[in-house]
Amino acid sequence: MGDHSARRKGRENQIDRAARAARGIRRRVLAHTLSHDGGYLSQACSSAEIFAALYTCVLNLKKIDRPLSALPFAGTPGPARPALTGAIFNGGGEPDCDNFILSPAQYALTLYAALVEVGRMDEKSMAAYNVDGSTVEMIGAEHSPGMEVTTGSLGQGISQAAGIALARRVKGETGRVILLMSDGECQSGEFWEAVQATCFHKLGNMLAYVDMNGCQCDGPMTSVMQLEPFDRRLAAFGARVRRIDGHDIKTLIRLGRAPAADVPTFVLCDTDPCRDMAVLQKRRPKFHYVRFASPEEKAEYRKFYENTFQEGL
Amino acid sequence: MMEILTKVHAKHLVEWGRNHPEAWVLSADLTSSCEADGFRDAFPERFLSMGIAEQNMLAFAGGMARQGLIPLVHTFAVFIYRRALDQVAMSVAYPNLPVKMFGFLPGILTPGGATHQAIEDVAVMRALPNMTILEAGDATETESILEAACDIPGPVYVRQLRGEIPRLFDPKEPLKPGACRKLSEGGDFVLLTSGICTEEGMRAVAALRERGLDIAHYHVSTLKPFNHPEIVREIAASRWGAITLENHSILGGLGSILAEGMAEAGTGKPLRRLGLRDTFVHGAGRRHLMREYGLDALALTGAVEEITGKRFFIDENSLAEAYTPALHSSAKAEAL
């Protein structure tokens, strides 16, 4: 009995920790958006729990002693220069560790905030976001903190992840390839080719969380290009599919720790693009990028920030 | 003071669209980012949202063009020729269909990094038979390139500008396919520039002129076809030869295009190509990247110093002010 309640308490602590990280991610991205007069804010709102669950409880990452600093940009990969990757922020490279592939690199700001929250990147590096000559790029590339491959061209992340997963299986490694995708990019033909191939080759070491916030650059997905019934389509290709509330940390963690199937697993996370940020509601139905149209609007966001996060974190 | 215009393409597209019921706009989820939102709102029945699925979009456009419609494909340049090259080749270029492809953010015009920077598009697209390639250099060309593209019978790939754009050329002199603009006369060098590099060329030429060098400067807005024996003759007669400056890799773009023309004519003069030197680029601001990769006026004056063996002591302060648009502005949808 004692054992059981200790385990339950441990689980609760983990959920609390993830919830705190999710809140911190939103706070950091909003603070950044305020200080830089713009940012990918709704992506942080929809995916904060997914990032938080991944980085606190799901990803098996190498421990690092203290937060790392982002390096200045040193050059693109070439014969004289090996590719620099942001995997070091994930502790990458160990046979039992997981890869983390962020497919929509437009979510980089949220990733950086998550890295700071879990003590993998220092705060100072966050300030280098989109600064000329920095690797903390707006659309993360493989040299950016936490990025392991270059994925800003949407729909390519899953194919690259699949190649990594196959190679890791061949090498007998136990680490998984965990992917965070956005729903919009699943419109691409390449996505469906990748699903077909990963199911055919039984890449059970792949686990994809899809942030189903229903939004894309042009507006609601239902008005741009419909994906539904997405879960049934994926299942018809042979994948294992779960559809959950993407803000439910407990379930996000549970599925991230579930035993692998012999095919890839897709966790479709239905999310809200203004979750915990009521001030964003006014932008409905367009959430892709927040830029303040007037000083009044910015003041409104600043007030929201102060009211919401006054107690600090 | 230079005139700066905003959303030039957006406004012009709507105006033009009124009188061209055969024109349709196709977009892959970058409608306002590519200034096609005004057209979408004005003519919703002639706007097609295609989702993030460029391969389908390009082949789909080919089908529409076969049936007499004029599809105007709007997306970032990279997503046309990198993502959908086979579709562009087989569904558009091979049947020589009038699909007009508007590629935004050419070259280093985005802090979006390697995935968003079209640095080899001219090289790739000009290798396709039937393809015409146009590039806008200022507001006058940005507002006239649509007519120019539609006057050309087959497929056209356009390196288009958006947001805030300076006007360098007389609004009464629209872009004419095949014609170069001669911006200055001189017998020391012949300089060819394209796109946003023309403003840099103008700054450098003005500073060099004050120091006694006379440079013939051409702005090139039709990259393919490129047939200019008069320019090649002028290079042959010049003192130091030719220089090109482009917002593109030096492999396969304006520099290569001129090199081919000079070699075929047997012009025994040196050519210096300025542009990206066979490298990918990272994400950063436009002015920063232009300096870092040698695409600006100082790169040009530096090259002239090297070739002539003279020092001109030109720095940023001795150049005319360059136009640098803000990262965030109401003239564009996001900071890309």
Side-chain angles (χ1 to χ4, degrees):
Chain A
M1 268 317 264
D3 228 31
H4 182 74
S5 76
R7 268 209 305 276
R8 194 168 61 192
K9 195 161 183 319
R11 270 203 302 273
E12 277 164 11
N13 286 344
Q14 284 177 344
I15 291 166
D16 289 347
R17 189 173 165 229
R20 266 200 315 279
R23 186 171 161 78
I25 289 169
R26 287 194 180 90
R27 179 181 73 83
R28 288 179 192 283
V29 172
L30 177 57
H32 176 91
T33 304
L34 281 165
S35 62
H36 288 70
D37 285 324
Y40 294 94
L41 183 58
S42 74
Q43 290 81 350
C45 293
S46 62
S47 67
E49 279 78 18
I50 308 174
F51 273 100
L54 284 172
Y55 268 99
T56 59
C57 297
V58 173
L59 287 163
N60 180 26
L61 304 178
K62 194 172 149 190
K63 295 220 171 352
I64 54 175
D65 300 336
R66 59 193 158 77
L68 302 173
S69 296
L71 297 172
F73 174 73
T76 49
R81 201 182 303 110
L84 198 150
T85 94
I88 187 172
F89 287 82
N90 296 338
E94 305 293 316
D96 62 332
C97 285
D98 296 332
N99 291 98
F100 174 61
I101 309 294
L102 174 61
S103 185
Q106 292 73 3
Y107 281 56
L109 183 57
T110 312
L111 169 63
Y112 303 144
L115 289 171
V116 175
E117 278 301 312
V118 298
R120 292 188 164 266
M121 183 172 87
D122 58 22
E123 299 232 34
K124 185 168 89 272
S125 300
M126 184 88 182
Y129 178 85
N130 206 16
V131 170
D132 289 344
S134 143
T135 51
V136 191
E137 289 187 19
M138 179 172 71
I139 308 290
E142 60 198 75
H143 48 247
S144 302
M147 296 291 291
E148 302 196 15
V149 298
T150 298
T151 51
S153 190
L154 294 176
Q156 294 191 18
I158 186 172
S159 304
Q160 298 185 65
I164 294 170
L166 182 90
R168 296 198 69 175
R169 189 177 73 191
V170 169
K171 290 195 282 182
E173 295 185 354
T174 55
R176 300 172 297 174
V177 179
I178 297 182
L179 186 63
L180 196 161
M181 302 194 67
S182 63
D183 44 7
E185 63 176 327
C186 300
Q187 292 164 345
S188 82
E190 178 172 355
F191 170 77
W192 293 104
E193 292 175 20
V195 175
Q196 177 175 286
T198 53
C199 293
F200 181 71
H201 292 293
K202 302 202 174 305
L203 297 178
N205 56 346
M206 275 183 74
L207 168 61
Y209 287 82
V210 186
D211 178 11
M212 305 273 290
N213 62 20
C215 303
Q216 57 188 122
C217 195
D218 272 7
M221 282 183 66
T222 47
S223 72
V224 180
M225 185 54 62
Q226 183 63 280
L227 263 185
E228 302 292 358
F230 193 30
D231 40 3
R232 278 164 43 207
R233 287 187 186 183
L234 281 169
F237 271 66
R240 177 168 71 169
V241 187
R242 300 285 181 269
R243 189 153 190 167
I244 65 167
D245 168 0
H247 302 292
D248 174 357
I249 288 174
K250 195 171 159 189
T251 307
L252 285 163
I253 295 172
R254 182 172 57 76
L255 293 178
R257 290 174 167 178
D262 67 348
V263 289
T265 299
F266 287 83
V267 179
L268 305 187
C269 307
D270 286 311
T271 60
D272 171 5
C274 6
R275 175 81 172 195
D276 288 349
M277 220 161 289
V279 69
L280 267 173
Q281 287 284 4
K282 283 191 192 165
R283 291 185 172 256
R284 192 173 291 280
K286 292 195 75 173
F287 292 107
H288 182 69
Y289 188 81
V290 168
R291 182 175 45 73
F292 302 117
S294 66
E296 292 73 31
E297 190 187 14
K298 187 174 175 179
E300 190 186 357
Y301 276 70
R302 184 168 297 287
K303 191 155 171 255
F304 175 84
Y305 179 88
E306 284 159 5
N307 290 343
T308 311
F309 298 110
Q310 59 187 348
E311 75 278 29
L313 283 146
Chain B
M1 206 46 200
M2 196 182 286
E3 187 192 2
I4 307 295
L5 290 90
T6 58
K7 297 200 174 180
V8 178
H9 179 76
K11 294 168 190 162
H12 187 66
L13 182 61
V14 174
E15 220 173 282
W16 179 90
R18 265 180 236 298
N19 304 319
H20 292 83
E22 73 286 13
W24 286 60
V25 168
L26 279 67
S27 170
D29 193 37
L30 288 168
T31 307
S32 56
S33 298
C34 295
E35 300 197 352
D37 44 348
F39 185 97
R40 174 199 61 202
D41 298 344
F43 316 109
E45 71 291 354
R46 288 190 278 135
F47 173 80
L48 281 180
S49 168
M50 303 302 286
I52 306 170
E54 292 81 5
Q55 297 174 341
N56 177 57
M57 176 165 68
L58 267 306
F60 199 107
M64 292 173 74
R66 280 182 192 275
Q67 296 295 321
L69 303 177
I70 306 287
L72 310 175
V73 171
H74 280 63
T75 187
F76 292 164
V78 273
F79 304 136
I80 296 174
Y81 75 100
R82 278 193 195 148
R83 292 214 75 136
L85 181 60
D86 195 16
Q87 286 75 13
V88 172
M90 291 299 107
S91 299
V92 175
Y94 179 82
N96 197 23
L97 293 164
V99 175
K100 315 302 172 184
M101 291 158 274
F102 290 83
F104 290 78
L105 308 184
I108 52 79
L109 271 177
T110 168
T115 53
H116 286 63
Q117 292 160 338
I119 59 164
E120 80 289 17
D121 52 334
V122 177
V124 171
M125 292 295 263
R126 93 183 173 92
L128 290 177
N130 297 329
M131 189 63 66
T132 295
I133 302 178
L134 304 179
E135 177 169 16
D138 83 326
T140 295
E141 294 198 339
T142 303
E143 69 197 1
S144 53
I145 210 162
L146 175 62
E147 277 95 330
C150 291
D151 284 347
I152 294 163
V156 182
Y157 174 67
V158 178
R159 296 186 111 203
Q160 181 66 313
L161 300 174
R162 66 165 198 184
E164 297 165 306
I165 311 166
R167 191 184 293 283
L168 306 177
F169 312 132
D170 188 338
K172 291 193 286 296
E173 289 177 22
L175 187 152
K176 281 197 207 71
C180 290
R181 293 177 192 271
K182 192 164 196 185
L183 305 176
S184 71
E185 299 280 351
D188 288 327
F189 282 99
V190 177
L191 169 67
L192 270 66
T193 59
S194 55
I196 58 161
C197 287
T198 290
E199 185 184 353
E200 299 301 312
M202 292 165 79
R203 299 168 75 209
V205 167
L208 290 166
R209 181 171 303 281
E210 283 173 17
R211 289 157 180 79
L213 270 188
D214 289 329
I215 298 177
H217 181 190
Y218 289 93
H219 167 71
V220 179
S221 41
T222 306
L223 291 154
K224 185 190 175 188
F226 185 90
N227 181 23
H228 293 284
E230 77 286 3
I231 295 179
V232 172
R233 278 195 299 273
E234 196 171 354
I235 293 167
S238 69
R239 182 166 180 211
W240 300 99
I243 306 179
T244 53
L245 176 62
E246 60 190 307
N247 176 23
H248 184 272
S249 169
I250 58 166
L251 306 181
L254 180 62
S256 296
I257 291 166
L258 182 63
E260 290 166 15
M262 288 169 65
E264 286 191 344
T267 311
K269 283 284 182 181
L271 163 67
R272 176 70 69 97
R273 293 170 298 159
L274 301 177
L276 296 172
R277 306 195 63 79
D278 195 18
T279 181
F280 284 108
V281 182
H282 59 114
R286 160 184 174 170
R287 188 56 46 198
H288 176 89
L289 293 177
M290 289 183 92
R291 186 81 284 272
E292 182 177 0
Y293 290 93
L295 305 183
D296 64 358
L298 287 181
L300 191 52
T301 58
V304 170
E305 286 186 338
E306 269 177 40
I307 297 166
T308 58
K310 292 179 189 157
R311 298 275 286 136
F312 296 106
F313 303 99
I314 295 172
D315 59 15
E316 270 299 336
N317 298 328
S318 46
L319 292 166
E321 199 184 331
Y323 176 64
T324 307
L327 180 64
H328 291 103
S329 85
S330 57
K332 51 188 189 168
E334 56 188 308
L336 278 174

